[in-house]
Amino acid sequence: MNALAHIAFEKTLVADNELPWEIVDEKIKRKIMSFNKDLMLVKVAFIKGGVGATHKHPHLQISYIASGVFEITINNETRILKEGDVYFVPADVLHGAVCLEDGVLVDVFNPMREDFIHT
């Protein structure tokens, strides 16, 4: 488990400012807020133009748009979603995001994303 993920493992009371960001690329950073083997919550901050490349994984995912505007594509259907909106991604379905205005996504995964902690 990487050092950043170890801080969040089964953390029960989470203060955002106590957890470090992990740089994904020049326009995306993420913060694993808390998790166990069954569930993981991750905050992802995007700068306008950031792209969550189209991908799929065996996890269920539900994401809350905490701020900003995003073009979300799930299984070849695309919509513009903004603060307060939510999207659900079934297991093994192609999906991706393009940030149209700086923003933050809150992603929840079941089970947890092992690939996020073994980097």
Side-chain angles (χ1 to χ4, degrees):
M1 183 178 313
N2 73 29
L4 298 181
H6 181 71
I7 294 169
F9 181 69
E10 292 190 342
K11 191 168 180 77
T12 55
L13 300 170
V14 182
D16 182 55
N17 65 350
E18 294 175 359
L19 297 173
W21 287 101
E22 174 186 355
I23 303 303
V24 176
D25 65 31
E26 69 275 354
K27 293 191 176 192
I28 303 173
K29 60 186 178 180
R30 72 177 167 222
K31 187 182 291 196
I32 298 171
M33 302 301 290
S34 189
F35 71 97
N36 69 10
K37 67 180 181 63
D38 298 314
L39 192 64
M40 176 180 270
L41 188 140
V42 180
K43 184 188 290 190
V44 188
F46 286 76
I47 294 172
K48 182 178 178 177
V51 175
T54 301
H55 65 288
K56 65 180 180 174
H57 45 71
H59 315 83
L60 296 174
Q61 176 180 342
I62 193 163
S63 297
Y64 173 75
I65 300 173
S67 64
V69 178
F70 293 83
E71 180 184 86
I72 304 296
T73 301
I74 301 172
N75 206 22
N76 295 320
E77 180 183 354
T78 301
R79 284 192 61 186
I80 305 298
L81 298 177
K82 61 183 180 355
E83 182 175 336
D85 294 338
V86 170
Y87 60 94
F88 173 75
V89 183
D92 294 314
V93 170
L94 283 171
H95 60 285
V98 177
C99 180
L100 303 178
E101 293 180 15
D102 292 2
V104 174
L105 300 178
V106 178
D107 296 335
V108 177
F109 300 99
N110 171 263
M112 58 85 90
R113 293 285 304 263
E114 290 187 17
D115 55 318
F116 282 9
I117 64 167
H118 295 295
T119 57

